[in-house]
């Protein structure tokens, strides 16, 4: 059963909040598109049948209308990154029944409203983590880290992680927010959004050379706030661990964020059909443990991951690790 919006669980109860709605299944990309509703249903089924199921609190995201009634305009939040022209183009496309935003990014007639609700869910996640001081997970789609200011890209419509980070600083008066992106693809949209932000750091591990062919080591942002670590195809946890221990964790500790947002893509799994990195689901639990050494204030938000089994088991592994803290 889903609880009421933004119900904060006491840390002493060791409950883990998950922000999710069946509405996210209505973003219809078609049977053969990799980013489809089955990704979410696989994760939900795995979590509800896992040993940690009694420790999960399922929460509906705040609706767009509810935000408006409380004085928060979701479109104003989206405009922190995206242009009004692009937002209007997505709405027009969906009002006409849907179509292609770019060569591999599809919108159905429901997608505009679903994408706005996804942004709202990420904002809910920020609020929950800051208020509780503990991690939470947003299970939403469409994903966001490839979306650019003027266009959707790579299955992504709105830049959820970037918008959430900007909103956290402006709405909640945080000083610094870090975004760690362990999706197998570089989050070019997120990087673009925070390139000139001294108060937002972006760190990415990603297969290279690979789509979208960005994320080179010399891309460091205007304030040295960006750390890109390209990973070779066939990399394993043995390759990732020294990267985390010697580069990412020290970078994060030095930045000292008030909030850590993880763009949690799980397409770096060995079984994933769209990439060639060889991580296992349990490895994401190991990476989570390292991140928790930086701060317990972590918002995980779903990005990629297209093998249903490895995707769902990776999410379980992440949450299991969070529950051990």
């Amino acid at each position: 059963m889903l609880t009421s919006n933004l119900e904060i669980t006491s840390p002493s109860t060791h409950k883990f909040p998950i922000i999710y709605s069946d509405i996210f299944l209505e973003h219809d990309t078609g049977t053969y598109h990799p980013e489809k509703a089955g990704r979410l249903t696989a994760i939900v089924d795995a979590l509800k049948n896992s040993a940690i199921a009694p420790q999960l609190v399922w929460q509906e995201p705040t609706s767009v209308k509810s935000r408006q009634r409380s004085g928060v305009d979701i479109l104003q939040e989206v405009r922190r990154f995206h242009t009004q022209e692009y937002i209007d183009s997505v709405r027009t496309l969906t009002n006409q029944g849907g179509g292609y935003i770019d060569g591999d990014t599809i919108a159905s007639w429901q997608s505009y409203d679903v994408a706005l609700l996804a942004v709202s869910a990420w904002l809910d996640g920020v609020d929950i983590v800051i208020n509780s001081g503990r991690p939470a997970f947003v299970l939403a789609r469409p994903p966001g880290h490839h979306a650019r200011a003027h266009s959707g890209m790579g299955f992504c419509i709105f830049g959820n992680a970037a918008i959430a980070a900007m909103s956290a600083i402006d709405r909640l008066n945080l000083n610094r927010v870090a975004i760690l992106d362990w999706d197998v693809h570089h989050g070019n949209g997120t990087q673009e959004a925070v390139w000139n932000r001294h108060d937002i750091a972006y760190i990415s591990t990603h297969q290279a050379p690979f789509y979208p062919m960005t994320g080179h080591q010399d891309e460091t942002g205007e304030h040295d706030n960006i750390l890109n670590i390209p990973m070779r195809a066939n990399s394993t946890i043995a390759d990732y661990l020294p990267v985390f221990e010697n580069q990412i964790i020290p970078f994060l500790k030095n930045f000292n964020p008030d909030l850590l947002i993880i763009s949690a893509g799980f397409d770096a799994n060995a079984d994933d059909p769209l990439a060639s990195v060889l991580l296992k689901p349990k490895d994401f639990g190991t990476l989570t443990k390292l991140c928790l050494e930086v701060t317990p204030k972590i918002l995980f938000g779903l990005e990629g991951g297209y093998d249903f089994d490895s995707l769902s088991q990776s999410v379980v592994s992440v949450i299991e690790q969070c529950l051990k803290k």
Side-chain angles (χ1 to χ4, degrees):
M1 177 179 292
L2 296 170
T3 68
S4 60
N5 292 341
L6 298 184
E7 176 184 324
I8 305 302
T9 306
S10 168
S12 63
T13 61
H14 299 290
K15 297 286 187 178
F16 187 93
I18 297 176
I19 303 94
Y20 169 78
S21 172
D22 285 343
I23 293 173
F24 296 133
L25 307 178
E26 297 176 5
H27 169 54
D28 185 3
T29 57
T31 303
Y32 300 105
H33 195 281
E35 202 296 288
K36 52 191 173 185
R39 300 176 64 232
L40 283 187
T41 56
I43 295 170
V44 170
D45 288 347
L47 287 171
K48 291 187 174 181
N49 288 289
S50 69
I52 61 173
Q55 295 173 270
L56 306 178
V57 179
W58 296 82
Q59 302 187 193
E60 281 277 358
T62 303
S63 71
V64 171
K65 289 184 179 179
S66 293
R67 285 199 179 275
Q68 289 174 333
R69 287 195 294 268
S70 65
V72 178
D73 182 357
I74 196 66
L75 290 178
Q76 182 177 333
E77 298 296 321
V78 175
R79 285 195 297 268
R80 293 182 188 279
F81 177 30
H82 296 287
T83 65
Q84 186 65 53
E85 181 181 14
Y86 170 58
I87 296 169
D88 290 343
S89 72
V90 176
R91 183 172 61 243
T92 299
L93 180 65
T94 58
N95 285 342
Q96 294 172 346
Y100 282 85
I101 294 176
D102 80 343
D104 55 13
T105 308
I106 299 173
S108 60
W109 68 269
Q110 310 101 316
S111 296
Y112 176 74
D113 291 334
V114 177
L116 289 181
L117 186 64
V119 172
S120 184
W122 282 67
L123 299 185
D124 285 339
V126 167
D127 293 342
I128 290 169
V129 171
I130 293 302
N131 288 332
S132 69
R134 295 179 62 84
F137 209 122
V138 179
L139 290 179
R141 54 186 293 275
H145 71 153
H146 293 308
R148 305 184 66 191
H150 302 272
S151 64
M153 181 179 175
F155 312 164
C156 302
I157 296 180
F158 296 137
N160 304 313
I163 294 167
M166 294 173 178
S167 181
I169 287 173
D170 295 340
R171 287 189 307 115
L172 305 180
N173 296 316
L174 302 189
N175 292 317
R176 291 173 301 279
V177 175
I179 303 171
L180 169 61
D181 188 339
W182 66 38
D183 190 282
V184 82
H185 303 96
H186 180 246
N188 58 305
T190 306
Q191 175 172 289
E192 175 184 294
V194 307
W195 184 266
N196 62 355
R197 296 285 300 242
H198 70 277
D199 49 2
I200 304 178
Y202 177 69
I203 306 99
S204 177
T205 56
H206 46 274
Q207 182 177 329
F210 203 42
Y211 180 90
M213 305 307 291
T214 53
H216 303 289
Q217 287 179 312
D218 61 358
E219 298 170 20
T220 57
E222 291 189 3
H223 302 278
D224 290 327
N225 57 313
I226 293 172
L227 176 64
N228 281 307
I229 305 177
M231 306 296 294
R232 295 179 180 177
N234 302 316
S235 292
T236 68
I237 191 63
D239 301 297
Y240 272 72
L241 278 178
V243 162
F244 268 73
E245 292 170 346
N246 300 328
Q247 296 183 65
I248 293 175
I249 300 305
F251 184 93
L252 284 171
K253 288 182 175 179
N254 182 66
F255 188 72
N256 191 26
D258 301 308
L259 170 69
L260 173 58
I261 296 174
I262 295 184
S263 274
F266 298 101
D267 37 10
N269 266 296
D271 291 334
D272 197 274
L274 298 190
S276 304
V277 173
L278 303 179
L279 295 182
K280 301 293 185 181
K282 65 178 181 180
D283 296 334
F284 291 97
T286 300
L287 301 182
T288 298
K289 182 179 181 180
L290 292 172
C291 292
L292 287 166
E293 295 176 1
V294 177
T295 178
K297 296 179 181 180
I298 302 179
L299 175 62
F300 299 87
L302 186 65
E303 298 283 3
Y306 307 100
D307 176 78
F308 289 1
D309 185 59
S310 62
L311 166 65
S312 56
Q313 293 308 311
S314 296
V315 174
V316 171
S317 181
V318 165
I319 298 175
E320 285 177 339
Q321 192 59 237
C322 291
L323 286 167
K324 292 178 181 178
K325 292 293 286 186

